[in-house]
């Protein structure tokens, strides 16, 4: 009887730990999705900023400033694309790897 009570307590403890880990996993996944959404939005802003440069007439602005603007907009596009890729990859592959990995992963 004492052994069965001990086993029941250990089982309850494992179930509660799994519930906590599941909530953490859901939290991390939702955070990665939110980061991906924000990166996609900022990527779109940078892309539209580059498209504004193509269709507009900026004759009074020095070429140096235009070049700096285009370079910074392009760099922000690249960095947002990398953040989007990383966040999407983590949100898609993270839960499966965490569930199939060793304890504590």
């Amino acid at each position: 009887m004492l052994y069965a009570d001990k086993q029941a307590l250990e089982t309850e403890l494992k179930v509660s730990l799994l519930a906590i880990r599941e909530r953490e996993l859901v939290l991390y996944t939702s955070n990665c999705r939110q980061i991906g959404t924000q990166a996609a939005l900022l990527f779109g802003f940078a892309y539209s900023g580059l498209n504004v440069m193509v269709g507009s007439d900026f004759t009074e602005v020095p070429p140096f400033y235009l070049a700096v603007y285009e370079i910074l907009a392009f760099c922000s596009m690249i960095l947002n694309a990398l953040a989007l890729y990383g966040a999407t990859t983590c949100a898609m592959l993270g839960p499966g790897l965490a569930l199939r990995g060793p304890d504590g992963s």
Side-chain angles (χ1 to χ4, degrees), residues 24-39:
E24 286 179 347
L25 189 60
V26 167
L27 175 72
Y28 292 145
T29 304
S30 67
N31 286 343
C32 284
R33 287 185 180 144
Q34 290 176 0
I35 289 171
T37 301
Q38 293 171 2

Side-chain angles (χ1 to χ4, degrees), residues 25-88:
L25 189 60
V26 167
L27 175 72
Y28 292 145
T29 304
S30 67
N31 286 343
C32 284
R33 287 185 180 144
Q34 290 176 0
I35 289 171
T37 301
Q38 293 171 2
L41 179 71
L42 293 174
F43 180 87
F45 286 156
Y47 181 75
S48 65
L50 283 178
N51 282 340
V52 166
M53 292 296 297
V54 172
S56 300
D57 188 352
F58 293 103
T59 56
E60 63 275 352
V61 179
F64 174 75
Y65 293 134
L66 292 176
V68 169
Y69 176 79
E70 288 179 358
I71 289 171
L72 290 177
F74 184 72
C75 287
S76 70
M77 275 181 52
I78 295 298
L79 292 174
N80 282 312
L82 289 173
L84 178 62
Y85 174 74
T88 305

